[in-house]
Amino acid sequence: EDRANGTGYLYVGNTLDNKADANGYGKVAFFKIDACTGEIVWQAESNIYTTHDITGGYQSSAILGRGELEGLVITTLCSYGNGNSGTVIAYNKETGEQVWTFKLNGYAWSSPVALYDANGKAYIVQCNCTGNIYLLDGQGNQLDCINVESNIEASPVAFGNYVVIGTRVRGIFGLRVF
């Protein structure tokens, strides 16, 4: 990522698998790691809830922003059980500060995917366990939401201005984003 300094970075989070307290709560973190030295550049911690059936934490791959999302790394945090929720989080790549968040109505293991128009305007697609396919703008505002009535755990695949999304039960959907 930083060619001038000959350095690359990894962005990765952990889960709360079998590490929760007696009430099901615990901390997870999302990290920026120097790929050459292994040094943690920054970490952002979150409290989540989980059960022995569903693992909470960072289950998805991150988007490394460009265009309208330049300077951001965007990922999804899932918390299962009390609240059964997910959050799309945009972090500042330099500082680890949260730039914006978007609350989902169910947990999400699916990775977010970004599509860009010719002018660099970003569209983010995020799916969740309740079958919602969210379309967000580059500031984390909801533009649209479609429910396909089936858990979506797989990550969408983007090509041009289309996404292809596989569900657990209802099949595969192709959607035109813009």
Side-chain angles (χ1 to χ4, degrees):
E1 176 180 86
D2 189 348
R3 292 181 186 187
N5 294 324
T7 301
Y9 298 100
L10 301 173
Y11 297 92
V12 64
N14 65 347
T15 65
L16 192 60
D17 194 22
N18 300 316
K19 302 277 191 249
D21 66 18
N23 296 316
Y25 290 92
K27 288 187 185 279
V28 294
F30 189 74
F31 301 90
K32 178 179 182 176
I33 300 171
D34 185 308
C36 295
T37 67
E39 174 189 352
I40 295 172
V41 177
W42 56 256
Q43 72 183 54
E45 292 186 350
S46 298
N47 289 310
I48 65 159
Y49 180 85
T50 193
T51 69
H52 68 279
D53 295 330
I54 304 289
T55 301
Y58 293 95
Q59 303 279 359
S60 67
S61 299
I63 296 170
L64 297 178
R66 60 182 176 86
E68 182 181 14
L69 301 176
E70 186 68 38
L72 299 178
V73 58
I74 300 164
T75 191
T76 307
L77 176 65
C78 78
S79 183
Y80 181 76
N82 284 350
N84 186 15
S85 66
T87 307
V88 180
I89 304 171
Y91 292 106
N92 177 299
K93 287 193 326 187
E94 295 302 316
T95 66
E97 301 283 328
Q98 283 188 10
V99 176
W100 56 259
T101 62
F102 179 79
K103 292 286 188 190
L104 306 168
N105 72 338
Y107 70 87
W109 289 352
S110 174
S111 297
V113 65
L115 296 91
Y116 300 90
D117 68 15
N119 298 318
K121 181 171 174 50
Y123 298 89
I124 300 166
V125 176
Q126 176 68 60
C127 305
N128 76 353
C129 69
T130 64
N132 283 340
I133 302 169
Y134 294 94
L135 179 63
L136 309 177
D137 67 13
Q139 290 78 43
N141 300 305
Q142 182 176 319
L143 300 174
D144 203 354
C145 181
I146 299 170
N147 186 280
V148 295
E149 301 175 356
S150 181
N151 186 351
I152 304 169
E153 293 177 351
S155 300
V157 176
F159 180 76
N161 61 345
Y162 289 89
V163 290
V164 176
I165 298 165
T167 70
R168 243 190 187 185
V169 178
R170 302 256 327 190
I172 298 170
F173 294 86
L175 302 170
R176 183 175 177 203
V177 175
F178 56 89

